[in-house]
Amino acid sequence: MASVPSLASTVQQRLADAFSATLPEAGSADPLLRRSDRADFQANGILALAKKLKGNPRELATKVVEAIGPNDVLKEIEVSGPGFLNITLTDEAIVKTLAARAADDRLGVPFAEHPGTTVIDYAQPNVAKEMHVGHLRSAVIGAAMVEILEFTGEKVVRRHHIGDWGTQYGMLIQYLIEHPHELDHEGGEVSGEEAMSSLDRIYKASRSVFDSDEEFKARARDRVVALQSGDPETRALWQRFVDESKIYFYSVFNKLDMEIRDPDIVGESGYNDMLEDTCRLLEESGVAVRSEGALCVFFDDVKGPDGNPTPLIVKKSNGGYGYAATDLSAIRDRVQNLKANTLIYVVDARQSLHFKMVFETARRAGWLNDEVKAVQLAFGTVLGKDGKPFKTRAGETVRLVDLLDEAIERATAVVREKNNEKVALSEQEIVENGVQIGIGAVKYADLSTSAARDYKFDLDQMVSLNGDTSVYLQYAYARIQSILRLRGEAQPVAHPELELTSAERALGLHVDRFGETLTDVASTYEPHKLAAYLYQLASLFTTFYAECPVLKADTPAQVENRLLLCDITARTLHQGMALLGIRTPDRL
């Protein structure tokens, strides 16, 4: 089905037509429509138009209103102040638009006009290392943007740029050669915890030997050379570490209710064969120059504390490659091989300078241009209740698995406490809902905050039924499902002839904004705007529920019309939450 024009776009078009009919000399003037507290919309475009035409704005506004005349969309247009138009829609227009949205599987949300290919780089853990709270935001924000962009019709390529290369692998591999059974497992499948336990044990043991035994240290460094030169035995052992780490990664991402696919994992090692060519291209084009033996790119506006230019080092003086060489090679691959129009990097804000320099280098080299852009979706730090970076009581980084387990435990306790004879959840439902609410709480707390800002991790608040939490939204959805289960033979049916209450109008107008909200989020890469929209939707439904009886409404037509409002609100909540990666249980 074709997308459904929003009420805002319908009003915009009606006003634009009236402007053209009344004031041909104005051309295609913008009515400058916006939401208003005084009416449904306010249009301010006549002020600028009057200035251009040297006319009286109130007189011009009055002419425009007269040209529109009576119609089925605009109930009332009031000329206010120096020439503002306060616009109130007809109840009929609201109900008809909602009915059209309800008839469509996509709720009438339009596809992007010019979809392209976007590569999103997110969820980037390190091989042989525990995932901690710092890995949470990249994964959650990136996964939400993938879903939102795909829903708008964009072709999205996921990329997980895992840390799977570097000097530490010489130490790990050499230790495994000398202790060959350390990664062996007895019995069947290995759990994520078991995999991480083995990796952690080997890392600590190899580090201890590396720091205390000079001969082992020398062998480990030789092993790095063997790894980088492609020695088959060394590469095979390196792959064992990668595979063991993936077992662990997948277990954590599975707990986060997030799908990470093997082909999408292209770590630092995936670009090794491109590094030398990348350096050659940069040097031959003059983008990079030799400085004290290193291959560097300089920038006029990037200087160190001493006032001297701080370069981006692409190749070190000892012949080793910096992170920049890998990141620039990844850009080449994503633009030239994956044919991307947009590259999004969901990366910690503390890496902003690095990516600013990398993107500028890629522009100078011609890999990025007016048709191909790169964006860092920078995110802030997860803080504890004390406002400091989130740590354990012992001052250590919080393991991500522990944090998720505690969220599930707290949420399950809330569900169990709220369970009663009326709801009568089974033990299995309590456990399942606890997982969905706990993980949803963690994701929503992250996504409801602007990515660029730090946010406080407070589980007590996250699983609260009150305030801006995912639980509040999930309960609103479950409440609607309860109404729909009790409706008997009554169906959600539109009745445009009915007069709406203020609570019905407010809810209907907000439901209608879903499509324009998604369009905005997809273009600005700000998923917190979708979270804010959904919270407002749940709040407006709560007001509607308190003021407007649904199944006990005055007439059968009113019952059906209110069921339509309930149904489309639930579907909008469900779809919006799904785009954020959050489940909506039917019963709570």
Side-chain angles (χ1 to χ4, degrees):
M1 183 174 169
S3 64
V4 178
S6 69
L7 289 163
S9 63
T10 302
V11 174
Q12 175 90 1
Q13 190 58 55
R14 293 285 178 104
L15 288 177
D17 291 346
F19 276 26
S20 299
T22 314
L23 311 162
E25 66 273 31
S28 55
D30 187 346
L32 297 178
L33 193 70
R34 63 179 183 82
R35 307 281 166 176
S36 172
D37 294 333
R38 295 173 176 273
D40 296 332
F41 296 98
Q42 186 176 82
N44 302 336
I46 286 176
L47 298 181
L49 196 56
K51 194 173 182 181
K52 179 180 172 186
L53 300 177
K54 296 184 172 57
N56 181 303
R58 278 191 71 91
E59 287 178 10
L60 293 181
T62 304
K63 281 185 182 178
V64 169
V65 173
E66 287 170 355
I68 292 173
N71 63 89
D72 60 349
V73 175
L74 308 178
K75 177 182 178 182
E76 184 182 347
I77 306 178
E78 174 202 15
V79 179
S80 172
F84 301 129
L85 297 180
N86 289 330
I87 300 157
T88 302
L89 302 182
T90 64
D91 293 345
E92 178 187 357
I94 295 172
V95 175
K96 281 184 174 178
T97 299
L98 293 181
R101 293 200 178 287
D104 180 31
D105 289 342
R106 289 176 51 83
L107 301 168
V109 175
F111 285 105
E113 287 184 20
H114 305 290
T117 298
T118 295
V119 174
I120 301 190
D121 186 327
Y122 70 107
Q124 312 105 340
N126 294 309
V127 163
K129 288 188 179 177
E130 190 103 52
M131 288 177 70
H132 54 77
V133 67
H135 290 109
L136 178 66
R137 299 207 74 186
S138 174
V140 170
I141 295 167
M145 281 313 309
V146 166
E147 295 298 328
I148 290 164
L149 287 171
E150 284 188 334
F151 190 71
T152 65
E154 185 79 356
K155 178 185 176 185
V156 179
V157 181
R158 302 158 170 82
R159 276 294 174 265
H160 309 295
H161 192 89
I162 63 171
D164 64 352
W165 204 246
T167 54
Q168 75 269 27
Y169 295 102
M171 176 183 82
L172 292 167
I173 294 166
Q174 188 60 36
Y175 185 85
L176 191 60
I177 288 173
E178 297 175 17
H179 303 80
H181 300 296
E182 285 295 303
L183 270 183
D184 294 348
H185 297 283
E186 294 180 12
E189 279 192 25
V190 181
S191 72
E193 282 288 310
E194 288 169 334
M196 192 62 241
S197 177
S198 298
L199 292 166
D200 192 48
R201 185 179 66 249
I202 293 173
Y203 184 84
K204 287 174 179 172
S206 63
R207 170 56 69 183
S208 176
V209 180
F210 186 87
D211 290 341
S212 62
D213 185 336
E214 289 299 320
E215 290 184 0
F216 176 80
K217 185 181 285 187
R219 293 195 298 276
R221 285 176 173 159
D222 288 342
R223 191 58 58 184
V224 175
V225 176
L227 175 64
Q228 292 177 341
S229 61
D231 172 63
E233 181 199 13
T234 306
R235 280 293 179 99
L237 291 171
W238 167 81
Q239 190 64 50
R240 284 193 68 186
F241 280 104
V242 173
D243 292 343
E244 192 84 2
S245 297
K246 282 183 179 179
I247 294 171
Y248 164 68
F249 295 159
Y250 291 152
S251 73
V252 178
F253 287 124
N254 189 49
K255 186 162 283 192
L256 257 175
D257 196 15
M258 192 176 291
E259 183 189 22
I260 302 290
R261 302 183 301 225
D262 218 54
D264 301 331
I265 296 179
V266 184
E268 295 170 9
S269 63
Y271 306 100
N272 282 341
D273 295 344
M274 299 178 70
L275 300 181
E276 188 53 46
D277 206 32
T278 295
C279 292
R280 179 185 61 77
L281 290 167
L282 291 171
E283 189 168 15
E284 285 180 0
S285 63
V287 171
V289 296
R290 294 282 170 180
S291 176
E292 298 178 19
L295 187 62
C296 304
V297 183
F298 288 91
F299 308 86
D300 293 337
D301 59 342
V302 182
K303 293 183 170 62
D306 57 2
N308 293 323
T310 300
L312 181 70
I313 300 174
V314 184
K315 193 172 186 180
K316 302 170 188 174
S317 55
N318 66 1
Y321 298 102
Y323 285 121
T326 305
D327 288 331
L328 288 162
S329 297
I331 288 176
R332 284 179 56 215
D333 175 61
R334 293 165 184 184
V335 172
Q336 295 166 4
N337 297 329
L338 299 178
K339 308 300 182 190
N341 313 101
T342 306
L343 308 177
I344 301 176
Y345 292 77
V346 189
V347 184
D348 193 312
R350 288 170 290 192
Q351 296 187 48
S352 293
L353 179 60
H354 169 77
F355 279 99
K356 177 186 173 185
M357 294 162 79
V358 166
F359 295 163
E360 176 57 28
T361 299
R363 271 190 287 274
R364 292 180 188 179
W367 303 327
L368 297 176
N369 49 47
D370 291 344
E371 280 74 47
V372 185
K373 66 175 180 177
V375 179
Q376 183 192 356
L377 205 175
F379 57 82
T381 305
V382 181
L383 307 175
K385 289 183 186 180
D386 58 3
K388 297 176 182 176
F390 198 23
K391 302 279 186 184
T392 64
R393 286 178 182 169
E396 296 173 355
T397 304
V398 179
R399 295 170 73 227
L400 185 51
V401 169
D402 292 342
L403 182 148
L404 298 177
D405 284 342
E406 187 178 354
I408 292 169
E409 189 180 315
R410 297 274 191 98
T412 304
V414 170
V415 175
R416 197 181 299 282
E417 181 189 332
K418 294 294 178 184
N419 193 25
N420 54 41
E421 291 178 8
K422 190 175 178 183
V423 181
L425 296 176
S426 67
E427 181 60 25
Q428 183 181 348
E429 285 177 308
I430 290 172
V431 171
E432 287 175 357
N433 286 355
V435 171
Q436 293 183 13
I437 289 174
I439 297 303
V442 171
K443 289 183 176 181
Y444 186 83
D446 191 317
L447 292 167
S448 60
T449 304
S450 170
R453 290 175 52 199
D454 300 341
Y455 82 96
K456 289 184 182 179
F457 195 93
D458 182 349
L459 273 177
D460 292 327
Q461 174 56 30
M462 288 180 187
V463 298
S464 169
L465 296 177
N466 302 312
D468 189 3
T469 65
S470 66
V471 197
Y472 178 71
L473 275 65
Q474 287 166 321
Y475 263 91
Y477 177 79
R479 177 174 279 164
I480 298 173
Q481 294 308 311
S482 174
I483 293 170
L484 296 176
R485 281 194 296 272
L486 295 170
R487 72 189 185 198
E489 294 182 7
Q491 295 296 317
V493 178
H495 285 275
E497 74 281 1
L498 291 179
E499 187 176 325
L500 300 178
T501 67
S502 60
E504 288 175 300
R505 292 184 102 262
L507 180 59
L509 285 167
H510 192 72
V511 166
D512 182 61
R513 296 177 69 174
F514 185 49
E516 64 189 67
T517 300
L518 288 181
T519 299
D520 184 24
V521 171
S523 62
T524 60
Y525 313 123
E526 294 178 302
H528 73 274
K529 291 179 177 178
L530 175 55
Y533 167 86
L534 294 171
Y535 173 62
Q536 183 69 14
L537 181 62
S539 300
L540 289 167
F541 175 77
T542 301
T543 302
F544 160 79
Y545 180 77
E547 296 181 6
C548 305
V550 178
L551 301 179
K552 294 182 179 179
D554 294 340
T555 66
Q558 200 171 46
V559 170
E560 292 179 339
N561 206 54
R562 287 180 178 173
L563 280 173
L564 174 78
L565 261 175
C566 288
D567 182 57
I568 195 165
T569 298
R571 287 171 58 196
T572 305
L573 274 171
H574 176 76
Q575 180 63 73
M577 294 285 269
L579 294 176
L580 295 179
I582 299 173
R583 305 270 180 179
T584 42
D586 283 353
R587 287 173 12 105
L588 280 178

